[in-house]
Amino acid sequence: MKLLFVHQNFPGQYRHLAPAMAAAGHEVVCMGDDGNVLIQSPPSGMVVVRYPPPAGASPGSHHYVAGFEAAVRRGQAVLRACMELGRQGFIPDVICAHPGWGESLFLKDIYPQAKLLAYLEFFYNARGQDAGFDPEFPGTLDDTFRIRIKNSVLLHGLQAMDWGVTPTRWQAQRFPADVQHRISTVHDGVDTRLVCPDPAATLTVTPEGASTPLTLRPGDEVVTFVNRNLEPYRGFHTFMRALPELLRRRPNAQVVVLGGDEVSYGSRPTNHPHYRAQYLAEVGANLDLSRVHFLGKVPYSTFLSALRVSAVHVYLSYPFVLSWSLMEAMAAGCLVVASDTAPVREVVRHGHNGLLVDFFSPGQLAETVATALENPQRLERLRRRARETILARYDLETICLPAQMRLIEDLAAGRTPSRRPADSKPLPAPTE
């Protein structure tokens, strides 16, 4: 087959699938924004094409439609790059594209015979999901209107796609009912051979105000918290407010926080340069900052080391896209304390493979983490079952990648892909 993968931040969600299809002998061309492409040396059989970063919306655009205009410009940039590929003789059989930024807007117009498999990350709604979930950040009627228009690009993508794929059942259920019959649920997958426990792991940090580094190891009281960026969507405010009581109760605990100071979701803080500054201003006077280590954005190897030395890993999220980091923490055998929100409950069962807490309760979070640190042996079974869950339902090599490849093969062959979730196995039973 001739396959075209399109993602502005390539490889994005195609980091495993595109190389696997190339390794299987297919002709694979991948396309992304020249300013964002994150792969420098593609593997054999895979060609990466970069399109120039498009201009954004016009200065006078209404703020409801500025994103749509920017998406149209991006779609045009992809169109021009595809026309050049056509002049070179490349006509894809199947296109895999993320429609969220407008890249797939015109693909079916220039490749009408190709099958379009859309990666469907999230369909926005003004109620019942992330918007309006947190009373600390209430939405407005203007937000409701803006969110409705925000879906415009995605609605075009849903109309044009031959089939869609989304990582979780909760995400699939966010999309309009009349398209759900054309969506398969297949997670991106976790490389469990790489992401695994390591009793010899270490993580070195330098406490604030100290000149001597501190080396953390499995068995130490290490609490980990990971976001791409530290922000309320992922519960950073609840986590920070839990720390004074947690550190008071556990004088030997060390807290490792990974994540940047930008904003991935929602709006920026109004009175501080970033949310880390805002919540340090709120609770910092009550924290022993020599035991709270903000490492910022780190290499993947450092992220894995943090998970491997973790005694308790905290994951909090609005009803929103489930983070890869939660699945990787479970694969690494972490004892996960997570928010009792709908996307999380799809993976974490309270008392079976993790512990769930009220997203809005710093007190309950502090109590749960402190108790877990007090009883590591009693809760060891949760660590084991967390990894068993990922192996049974979300393993990259044995479950998710084969299911993703079958979707492409079925589309190319004119078969209707399966809608049965790749993670349809029940949570594994206790092994003891």
Side-chain angles (χ1 to χ4, degrees), residues 98-328:
H98 190 311
W101 303 282
E103 289 174 300
S104 69
L105 278 173
F106 310 115
L107 292 177
K108 289 290 283 188
D109 296 296
I110 55 171
Y111 299 130
Q113 302 306 316
K115 300 297 185 182
L116 175 57
L117 176 62
Y119 185 95
L120 303 177
E121 190 164 7
F122 197 62
F123 192 85
Y124 292 89
N125 285 284
R127 297 178 180 85
Q129 296 174 191
D130 56 320
F133 172 74
D134 192 337
E136 190 169 333
F137 303 93
T140 65
L141 193 59
D142 188 69
D143 291 329
T144 299
F145 300 151
R146 179 182 52 79
I147 288 170
R148 178 177 293 279
I149 301 303
K150 185 179 180 69
N151 280 326
S152 297
V153 175
L154 189 50
L155 288 168
H156 280 279
L158 295 174
Q159 185 275 329
M161 73 182 189
D162 293 280
W163 203 259
V165 59
T166 196
T168 68
R169 283 165 283 184
W170 184 83
Q171 284 167 265
Q173 292 161 4
R174 301 308 97 196
F175 287 87
D178 60 351
V179 299
Q180 289 185 23
H181 68 283
R182 291 191 289 132
I183 300 175
S184 295
T185 301
V186 183
H187 193 266
D188 307 322
V190 180
D191 185 348
T192 57
R193 293 180 299 179
L194 173 64
V195 186
C196 59
D198 180 2
T202 62
L203 179 69
T204 300
V205 298
T206 301
E208 184 173 309
S211 57
T212 304
L214 173 67
T215 299
L216 305 173
R217 294 178 170 84
D220 294 338
E221 286 197 14
V222 180
V223 178
T224 50
F225 183 82
V226 175
N227 291 173
R228 178 168 56 178
N229 286 299
L230 305 174
E231 54 194 332
Y233 256 68
R234 299 306 192 189
F236 180 62
H237 52 333
T238 300
F239 178 74
M240 289 294 291
R241 289 165 180 165
L243 287 185
E245 175 63 13
L246 174 61
L247 294 180
R248 184 192 68 79
R249 289 188 53 172
R250 306 303 301 172
N252 293 322
Q254 301 286 333
V255 179
V256 175
V257 181
L258 306 184
D261 288 326
E262 300 168 3
V263 172
S264 299
Y265 315 111
S267 57
R268 295 183 176 276
T270 55
N271 298 319
H272 295 273
H274 43 70
Y275 284 111
R276 179 167 59 92
Q278 177 171 330
Y279 295 112
L280 279 173
E282 179 181 327
V283 303
N286 298 317
L287 293 179
D288 177 359
L289 290 174
S290 69
R291 294 196 285 140
V292 182
H293 314 285
F294 292 96
L295 303 190
K297 293 185 175 180
V298 299
Y300 190 67
S301 59
T302 303
F303 162 72
L304 290 181
S305 295
L307 296 182
R308 287 165 173 159
V309 304
S310 177
V312 176
H313 179 77
V314 177
Y315 177 78
L316 307 173
S317 180
Y318 283 10
F320 194 60
V321 175
L322 204 61
S323 303
W324 284 340
S325 65
L326 170 64
M327 319 295 254
E328 290 171 314

